[in-house]
Structures are given as structure tokens and as C-alpha cells.
Amino acid sequence: MMKLGCCYYPEHWPQDVWADDARRMVDAGLSQVRIGEFAWSRIEPQPGVFNWQWLDDAVEVLHGAGLEIIMGTPTATPPKWLCDAMPDMFAHDRDGRQRGFGSRRHYCFSHAGYLEQAKRITRAMAQRYGSHPAVVQWQTDNEYGCHDTVQSFSPAARDAFRVWLAARYGTAEALNAAWGNVFWSMEYASFDEIELPNLTVTEANPAHWLAFRRFSSDQVIAFNRAQVDILRECSPGRDITHNAMGFYTGYDAHDLSDDLDILGWDSYPLGFLEMFRFSDAEKLQYARQGHPDIAAFHHDLYRGCAANERWSVLEQQPGPVNWARHNPAPLDGMVALWTMEAAAHGAELVSYFRWRQNPQAQEQMHAGLLRPDGADAPALAEVTDVQAKLEMMQAKGEMAGDGGRDAALIFSFEAEWMTQIQPQGEGRSALWAAFDCYTALRKKGLNVDIVRPGSDLSAYQLAMVPCLPIVGDECLAALEQFEGQIIIGPRSGSRTQDFAIPHSLAPGGLQDIIRLEVTRSESLRPGLVHDGGTWEIAHWLDHVEGEAQAELTAKDGTPASYKHGKARYLATWPSGAVLDEVVARALADTTLKTHDLPEGLRIRRDSKYLYVFNYCAQTRDIPSSISGDPMLGDRRLLPASYAVFAL
Ligand code: GAL
């Protein structure tokens, strides 16, 4: 059964409240507690001088109350003495300025000296707590990349980048040829001449940027792996996790997950709604609930990244946060709904951030399950309630499993790097193309898996490739073998490994499947559209030649989509009504059971239950395509409520 937990910072509170905190956690229905991830200055107040006593005591108190512990390595917050001893360990920002001490994540992934320090503190912690019976899981560091920290433009990063390039390309001539450096006389005679791409006069070569993005991601993976190796050695049998972020693509989470046992992510639906690309109308409509696909998209994305599909929510918003443009409180019921949605997607844990609101320092306006004075905050009762419901559902039998794989969305982090490097039209992003395709499928009531390129697709009836500039051999083979319907979006197959247009033109190898070639691409400013009646061609338009037949054509004769056999090509950007129309046509060619869900309603099936979630601030009736009476909740769903049907 999915467990509930919280993030706790014993070092923030007097020791005499710990036992009461632990008891109240257990009383509230929590069984896991995540600690330690920022506590370096208390663990090692001076170089080599460790103060374990307080943490030993905290571990015993929590263990004594029956809580399991997820122990974090504190490498996101190197202490002042360490920074002073090694002042070149800071990352440099894109303008080349050195970042400083006084918050967190102030290190450069490429600094060899800091890596040694990170390994040293990881080993010390793993040796101390690695075999403690309460410690069931380790979290490496905290949110790699938070506060824009994956890319560093430091001398250490530059030197490491040169080594990375030499390993990848062998010779400067090979690199010049791969990148097309004869253009603008950018040729290099040796790897030592190559700088980072940040301070060029105008845009750097996109191949240069892509190499730097790949390198920066690899540095994160290597930094993480160094900790993982130590934890495996000193704490055998414990799971290792890391907490990924929302709408964040700075490193390749598929690669990171390959080294972990379970992938976590941090779910702040209201903060993400406010900070990301949603329209003002959506921000208002969902201000206290979050857009209905924000949490689910990441559940399905990170499940697809995780080894054996093991994933969790390591931080769950319990009330207002402090870091978005506006920070409203969730509607009553939302914290429980978010928790149940995580269960519906197969999470192993939802851990609320944080236990008690801290009256001091940067996050004093960030809610916890307790108020700063220690009284219950509103979310606490919801947590207890949802825990009781989870137990009731669990009592009916074994753990719920896979509830049917309807549609696969193929997504790569590299695709998003490429559309960031070369958007070609404002706002055109592979990540948001994936999100919009996800929404289009979820509005039809489907279970959606977001999978890495090359994944086996045989369990699905529909595969979507929203925007995948590089289509590797494995991905192509999986699509060629796939017997279901395929939708391919613009820019897919449009680039080689080194960011060149393939000689065969886009969609490259996918031409075997869709039988067309893109002869010209244009991006369209707002208002420049081709009207299709109920839909329009907007933002992007590919002009194509080939055997594939136009399927959707605008009134002026401009095709929006093409079809060949089981495959469709979307020649315009995957968003809005044209996307819904192409999805509807592809679904009509499958035997999938679909629903027309009212705005704000979403469903999810696992092997035992069908869940219906109302993300609206208004009451919604469950549509008649879902029959019967729910075992939890009601067919009339109040705002921020859910129903569960036994299957
Ligand atoms: C996360 C972070 C936590 C805390 C939280 C506040 O990004 O991992 O440490 O800062 O945000 O919402």
C-alpha cells in the first residue's frame, strides 16, 4: 500500500519537541519521515569534526515512534568553512559570474575537489546510519538543478567539457566536421581552444549548445553515481532515490534513474500552475486546485523514467508555498485529492513538505502540516482522512497493479534541450508539446504512460511522438514493430545526433512509417492561422511531399495532418482543437474505451479501481460512460473531491 510521510528537520527544532512530533506524525497516519538533506553544518561543524549526537538522537526518537527514515545526503548545502577553503567550487552563471554562499545548491558539478567532499560526507553518513534498522532509503542530495544549477560556466566546467568533447569526438577535425564549424570560421585546432557557449556575441552553434547540455547532464549523473556507489557499499539493501522536479528538464532523468532504485519527484501543483506556461484563464480557474494534468503528467513521466516503474512523491504541497508569483491556499480537500491521485498512478509514498512551518529564514511563508506555533494546519486532517481511505481500500486485497496501458507518449529530455536551443518560433517546446498531447489523451479518459524512446510499445494501442527531433535506431525499431496507431508531431526526426538536418530531410528515419518528407517548415505568429472550421493551423506549419494522404485540410486547402497506414503526421503544432481532432481520429481506429470528460474531470484506472477526480472549483457529475455507484465518494463530485469505483 502507498505510504504517507513527511519531510522533517529535527535540527530546526528544540530536541524536547521531537518525541511529540514523532508521536503526532504516527497519529496522523504517517509512516515515513525524510530527514538530513540540508544538515551538513550541524553534522560537521568544522572540517573533520563530526557531531553525530543530535542526529543519532533524532534517528532514535523517530525509530522509537515506529517511523521509517529516508536519509538525505546533505550535499546540496555545503557549509561555509568548506566554501571558504575551496572558493572555486561555486558554479558560474550564464553571464560568467561566480555564484555565492548564503542559500543552497552553491556548487559546480564539475569541481573535482567538491566531488571529493561530497563523497567524503556521503561515506561518513552511510557508515554511521547505513545499517540502522530505521533507515530504509537514501536520498542523494536534493533536487539536482533547482535554482538553475545544472549548467555551470565555471573554469572547472570548461576544463571538464573539453575532456568530455575529446572522449566523444576523438579529434578536433572530427568535431569540426560534426558541428559544421567551417560556418563563420568556427573551426578549432584542438580541444583546448573550445570555450563554453555562453559568452558568444550572437547565438553559438546549436551543436555546441547541444554538446554542452549533454555534458552538463552527464556531470549530474556522474556526481549522483559517486554517491550511489558509496551508499550501495556502506548501506546494502537500502533503496536509493532522488527527488526530481516539476517541468524541469535540465538533466536527463532517464539516465539518472538508471542508477536509482526508486525515483521521487516533488509535487507543488499550485506553484507550478502559477509559474509555468498556463493561460491567465487557467491560472484563475485552477488557482486553488492546480491544472488537472500537472501532477498526473509528472507521475506518469517519472514512473516511465524509473527502474521497474518504482516512484514516489518525496515532497507534496500541503498549503500555500512561498516561491510562486502568487501563493494561494488549496481548496479544502485538495491535499487529499492530490494524495489519492498519486495512489491511482502507483506511487509508493507521498511525503508532505514539510512537517512544521518554519518561522525563520527563506521558507517562513511556506505551509507545513503544522503551523509555526505547532497547532494543526488544515492539511493535517485531510492526510489522516486519506490514510484511512487508503487502508480501507487496501483491506480489500492485494496491492493494486497495472490497470491497462492505453497510450504511450514518447518523450526525451534531449528533445526539450533542442527546442530550447532552437525554438524557431516563440514558445515551441518539446516538453509542452508532450504536456498538451498528454492533456488531449487524458481528456478522453485514457491511461497514459510517458516512455523513453526505444521502449517496447506492444502493450499499447496508440503511440504518440509529440516532438522528437532525434529519432534513434531503437526508437525507430520500436515504432516499426508497433501494431497500433501512431501520431507523429512536427520536428520529429528533423535532426541528426549533432544537430544537423538529415540529408533525407525530416522526419528522417520515420519516413519508413509515414511516407512523407518535410520540404519547408515555418512558424506562425499569433493570429497567423489557417482556419479549419472547428480547428485551426497555428504556431507551426510543415509543408510536405510524399505518398501520405492529407487527412485534415484547412478551408484554404492547407493540410494540417497526413495519414499513411497506421500512422498520422501532424504538420502543425500539437495543441488546441486540431490536436484533439487528430487524436479523436486515431482513437477511432483503436478499440480503446474512451470518455468525453467534462472540463476539469480526470480518471485513472489501476487493476482494482477506477478513480475520478474533480479538479474544478465547481460541482461536476460523473459522466454516464462510467456506470455504477462508487465505493468512495459520490456520482456528484463537489469541488476538489474524488470518487473511487471498485472494478
Ligand atoms: C523544493 C525543495 C525543498 C523546499 C521546497 C519548498 O524545491 O526541495 O527543500 O525548498 O521546494 O516548496
Side-chain angles (χ1 to χ4, degrees):
M1 187 182 106
M2 187 179 84
K3 294 179 176 177
L4 302 184
C6 70
C7 307
Y8 187 51
Y9 302 91
E11 68 274 24
H12 297 178
W13 312 104
Q15 188 151 353
D16 57 14
V17 307
W18 295 351
D20 199 44
D21 280 344
R23 179 191 58 76
R24 290 173 75 190
M25 289 175 197
V26 173
D27 287 352
L30 308 184
S31 53
Q32 293 200 332
V33 55
R34 189 189 71 162
I35 63 171
E37 80 273 17
F38 300 125
W40 197 335
S41 71
R42 286 294 170 96
I43 293 169
E44 191 184 14
Q46 295 168 45
V49 178
F50 288 90
N51 176 9
W52 296 114
Q53 192 56 54
W54 71 271
L55 190 50
D56 291 353
D57 292 348
V59 165
E60 287 318 317
V61 166
L62 297 167
H63 179 44
L67 292 156
E68 295 177 329
I69 293 173
I70 300 172
M71 184 70 86
T73 65
T75 50
T77 48
K80 186 73 166 81
W81 59 257
L82 198 160
C83 302
D84 287 347
M86 210 187 266
D88 58 353
M89 61 162 276
F90 293 106
H92 288 217
D93 71 12
R94 197 169 163 144
D95 294 327
R97 288 172 310 196
Q98 182 172 301
R99 305 181 92 169
F101 183 85
S103 63
R104 63 178 171 182
R105 300 217 53 76
H106 41 281
Y107 68 86
C108 174
F109 281 100
S110 296
H111 193 274
Y114 185 63
L115 175 63
E116 286 312 309
Q117 292 294 319
K119 285 159 70 172
R120 190 182 58 81
I121 190 71
T122 298
R123 182 172 294 280
M125 287 192 73
Q127 284 174 341
R128 188 82 186 177
Y129 302 110
S131 50
H132 195 287
V135 175
V136 296
Q137 203 172 112
W138 289 90
Q139 175 186 299
T140 53
D141 201 284
N142 188 78
E143 287 192 345
Y144 292 132
C146 189
H147 319 303
D148 193 13
T149 50
V150 162
Q151 292 175 44
S152 168
F153 300 89
S154 66
R158 181 201 58 204
D159 294 348
F161 183 49
R162 290 171 177 171
V163 172
W164 186 94
L165 289 171
R168 186 175 176 101
Y169 293 98
T171 64
E173 292 74 30
L175 178 144
N176 287 328
W179 291 9
N181 278 342
V182 61
F183 191 77
W184 289 353
S185 278
M186 295 182 295
E187 289 169 297
Y188 300 106
S190 84
F191 290 104
D192 290 341
E193 293 179 356
I194 304 178
E195 299 295 333
L196 300 177
N198 55 321
L199 294 178
T200 53
V201 173
T202 183
E203 59 182 316
N205 187 338
H208 190 171
W209 267 116
L210 180 59
F212 181 65
R213 298 294 301 257
R214 287 175 172 150
F215 155 79
S216 300
S217 178
D218 284 356
Q219 297 301 91
V220 175
I221 310 309
F223 184 88
N224 183 68
R225 188 176 298 144
Q227 296 195 17
V228 167
D229 289 346
I230 293 165
L231 295 169
R232 295 224 184 276
E233 177 195 328
C234 302
S235 187
R238 271 64 173 181
D239 287 330
I240 304 176
T241 191
H242 179 76
N243 51 338
M245 291 187 287
F247 298 121
Y248 183 77
T249 54
Y251 62 86
D252 188 325
H254 290 126
D255 289 347
L256 188 87
S257 306
D258 288 341
D259 291 323
L260 302 172
D261 301 298
I262 169 167
L263 182 61
W265 83 280
D266 296 344
S267 180
Y268 293 92
L270 304 192
F272 296 152
L273 175 78
E274 192 54 54
M275 294 307 280
F276 290 100
R277 180 220 58 164
F278 300 93
S279 68
D280 282 345
E282 287 171 314
K283 287 184 182 183
L284 198 56
Q285 162 69 337
Y286 295 117
R288 295 186 185 280
Q289 311 94 274
H291 181 285
D293 297 313
I294 289 179
F297 175 79
H298 292 93
H299 297 337
D300 293 339
L301 171 69
Y302 289 126
R303 190 184 59 248
C305 293
N308 302 314
E309 301 195 316
R310 292 187 59 200
W311 66 281
S312 67
V313 176
L314 280 167
E315 298 180 14
Q316 172 64 61
Q317 173 166 9
V321 300
N322 64 303
W323 45 261
R325 266 183 228 110
H326 308 279
N327 297 290
L331 281 187
D332 287 348
M334 239 17 246
V335 173
L337 187 155
W338 290 328
T339 306
M340 190 58 83
E341 173 110 53
H345 290 252
E348 293 190 10
L349 166 75
V350 170
S351 170
Y352 303 92
F353 184 94
R354 52 192 299 161
W355 172 243
R356 188 194 283 104
Q357 185 172 348
N358 192 329
Q360 292 184 298
Q362 280 91 330
E363 293 180 349
Q364 52 189 253
M365 294 297 285
H366 194 297
L369 293 178
L370 304 189
R371 304 187 319 207
D373 65 357
D376 294 3
L380 192 68
E382 288 186 36
V383 170
T384 307
D385 173 69
V386 78
Q387 168 65 14
K389 294 199 164 107
L390 288 167
E391 271 170 27
M392 195 260 270
M393 290 162 67
Q394 171 67 9
K396 290 180 74 96
E398 76 294 349
M399 180 132 179
D402 187 358
R405 297 178 185 260
D406 301 336
L409 265 185
I410 300 173
F411 176 75
S412 88
F413 293 87
E414 182 179 73
E416 173 61 7
W417 304 341
M418 295 179 78
T419 54
Q420 283 179 7
I421 292 167
Q422 187 186 65
Q424 180 65 5
E426 202 173 78
R428 298 308 107 216
S429 144
L431 174 68
W432 289 99
F435 185 84
D436 287 343
C437 290
Y438 182 82
T439 292
L441 295 168
R442 285 257 293 168
K443 284 194 300 193
K444 302 301 277 180
L446 299 176
N447 276 3
V448 184
D449 287 352
I450 304 175
V451 303
R452 67 171 95 183
S455 299
D456 175 19
L457 300 170
S458 53
Y460 306 96
Q461 289 207 39
L462 174 68
M464 281 188 86
V465 187
C467 176
L468 190 69
I470 296 176
V471 176
D473 293 343
E474 284 185 356
C475 180
L476 188 59
L479 284 165
E480 280 174 344
Q481 283 157 24
F482 180 54
E483 288 170 3
Q485 297 295 307
I486 298 173
I487 301 175
I488 298 166
R491 303 202 77 173
S492 297
S494 68
R495 291 297 179 274
T496 66
Q497 286 293 334
D498 285 294
F499 221 125
I501 297 170
H503 188 67
S504 62
L505 302 181
L510 292 171
Q511 289 173 17
D512 293 348
I513 296 170
I514 186 62
R515 297 265 173 230
L516 54 75
E517 61 186 37
V518 177
T519 55
R520 179 160 73 162
S521 295
E522 49 173 336
S523 57
L524 308 174
R525 73 164 353 280
L528 189 57
V529 299
H530 298 264
D531 180 15
T534 54
W535 50 265
E536 60 185 22
I537 294 171
H539 309 303
W540 188 274
L541 181 58
D542 282 340
H543 301 259
V544 318
E545 291 173 4
E547 263 176 66
Q549 297 294 307
E551 187 175 38
L552 285 178
T553 304
K555 289 176 181 167
D556 64 5
T558 309
S561 73
Y562 296 82
K563 184 169 191 300
H564 177 80
K566 64 189 181 187
R568 287 177 168 82
Y569 187 82
L570 194 54
T572 183
W573 201 256
S575 64
V578 71
L579 172 61
D580 292 340
E581 181 63 35
V582 171
V583 164
R585 285 169 185 248
L587 288 174
D589 291 340
T590 71
T591 60
L592 291 169
K593 177 174 164 66
T594 60
H595 303 268
D596 285 314
L597 297 175
E599 188 253 309
L601 227 59
R602 291 291 186 268
I603 68 178
R604 169 85 189 167
R605 303 179 325 272
D606 63 25
S607 60
K608 293 168 68 185
Y609 303 109
L610 184 142
Y611 306 75
V612 188
F613 300 98
N614 181 13
Y615 277 89
C616 282
Q618 299 82 26
T619 298
R620 289 274 183 270
D621 287 324
I622 294 176
S624 56
S625 58
I626 298 163
S627 57
D629 287 322
M631 59 172 271
L632 283 177
D634 199 74
R635 289 198 67 93
R636 170 150 293 180
L637 287 175
L638 297 174
S641 72
Y642 59 86
V644 181
F645 294 74
L647 292 175

